[in-house]
Amino acid sequence: MPTPVFEARAVSKAFGPVRALSDVTVTLNRGEVHSIIGENGAGKSTLMNIICGRLQPTSGQLFIDGTPVHFHNPKDAQRQGIAIAPQEISLVPDLTVYENIMLGAQRSGFLSIDWARTRDEATRHLHEVDKSIDPRAKVSGLSKAQQQLVQIARAAATEARILIFDEPTATLTYREEEVLLAYIENLAREGRSAFYISHRLDEVRRLSHRITVLRDGVHVGELSPDEASRDAMVRLMAGRPPKVGAQDIRPVSTAAPILEVQGLTRAGEFEDVSFTLRKGEILGVSGLIGAGRTEMAKCLFGVTRAQSGKIRLDGQEVAFSGPYQAINAGLIYLPEERKQEGIFPLLSIAENTALPTIDRFSGLLHLRNRDMMAEVARLADQMKAKFNALKDPITSLSGGNQQKFIIARWLMRDAKVLVMDEPTRGIDVNAKFEIQSVLRKLTEERGLSIIVISSEMEELLDVADRILVMHEGRVKGVVDRRDATQEGLLQLAMA
Ligand SMILES: Nc1ncnc2c1ncn2[C@@H]1O[C@H](COP(=O)(O)OP(=O)(O)OP(=O)(O)O)[C@@H](O)[C@H]1O
Ligand SMILES: [Mg+2]
């Protein structure tokens, strides 16, 4: 056996009382893609952050080519040829794509940066993952998916031999996912090595040479791609037989419409969008990146104004001039990007969850607090969220667990229509099933109506009653769940 290019040996990490990693050993060979899988909070990102110098282990040792190394910060790791495309977007929004890539990808030492070469490399890598992104565009103007691709290009444009991809496909749709997987396969063929993290188990199986499973911070198994059936992976991750599957197909709803959209248009974003959402119904919205799904949702929510078209909510024509009006009328939008639009990083888990609901918990201050905590805890439990204490900062949660609390936040509010943009992004397969069950229950028990925008067709087929497909700003069709197939949806989406 040749010496692995990298080894993390017996690594442990504690955050106060939380043991995020216990005695984990992983190796990486030359030209290998090694996936690390596990439920939300299993310790995947913590391990990757230790490997790339963003965190220091409590104990354990890292080796490169068999030689012990110590990283005090990410620069140390970079010098040793390690680069990461992190789970959360960490770009400078006001700089251009190209400047962002340059910041991370400076070739050679600080004083002798080869700018021209760096720029060429940056552009080459960017175009390999996505031809449509203009390197001179400001990052703040890009979609989440495009930003994620920029982060990947930034990591790959370094001379790093060891690349880390922490959920790179979470916001990508089918088409970009294909391009990215092929790109990573190619990096491996060129002799570079990668740690790969994803909750999309099909792509894990396709891409990996080896799969390591973490559960509660412990290494619980290693699978070869042939051993890694979906069932085997889920079983190891959860430590019990999987309970996942699709929700039942419900009969086509004949309830009264709650939201009627007619001819909604914002030039350049979406055009002539019409659909009806019925009481207690879940409408899925599918489409490739750039289909105009998020733009349409933001317009419904009053973030932007339609140029033409009508919106009727519960029979009343509405034209919101801001999200506050939409919320007061009972229409809520849960945005796709939690870090920039979704969470308040300085506040606790409980405060983050209850913030928009505070008015509901009137009464004496301490009473209010107790009620609020109880409800947050109840929802957290339903969604199998993993946390230490509700008073801890929200930033102490793993990515998927943050998302569960954001969902809980909006479920605590009384609403008529809930628009969720990529709600289960980054959420593990078991928890996804639980969340889908919670959504179903809310529609049945409270008559809530839900629009779910998702880049994963599988998820829409699991949870929606009907699926609306958009392409380049236009509605291509609305399909009943019982008639919908992945292939059919894809054909509509590619139009
Ligand atoms: N800064 C921190 N302070 C306290 N606890 C933390 C901190 N960072 C992570 N943790 C805890 O460590 C554990 C592992 O978190 P980690 O982010 O590694 O999970 P993950 O496997 O990446 O999950 P996900 O799939 O949700 O991204 C979790 O219980 C998390 O709450
Ligand atoms: Mg993570």
Side-chain angles (χ1 to χ4, degrees), residues 15 18-20 38-47 55 87 166-167 197 199 214 386-388 395-401 426 428:
F15 296 101
V18 179
R19 278 184 75 81
E39 294 193 330
N40 297 128
K44 304 178 296 295
S45 295
T46 303
L47 180 60
L55 287 175
Q87 182 171 14
D166 195 347
E167 295 192 36
I197 295 179
H199 291 293
L214 297 183
K386 191 177 163 207
F387 60 96
N388 185 36
T395 45
S396 71
L397 295 177
S398 78
N401 284 308
D428 67 59

Side-chain angles (χ1 to χ4, degrees), residues 20-21 35-51 84 87 164 166-167 196-199 212-215 217 237 398-400 426 428:
L21 291 173
S35 288
I36 312 290
I37 62 171
E39 294 193 330
N40 297 128
K44 304 178 296 295
S45 295
T46 303
L47 180 60
M48 294 305 121
N49 285 332
I50 287 171
I51 294 175
I84 186 169
Q87 182 171 14
I164 301 173
D166 195 347
E167 295 192 36
Y196 188 82
I197 295 179
S198 174
H199 291 293
T212 285
V213 187
L214 297 183
R215 190 195 315 144
M237 289 196 296
S398 78
D428 67 59

Side-chain angles (χ1 to χ4, degrees), residues 42 55 79 121 151 170 189 274 278 299 381 410 460 489:
L55 287 175
R79 270 193 288 269
E121 279 292 282
Q151 292 204 135
R189 267 196 298 274
S274 301
R278 295 180 182 280
C299 181
D381 186 55
W410 296 112
L460 295 178
L489 293 176

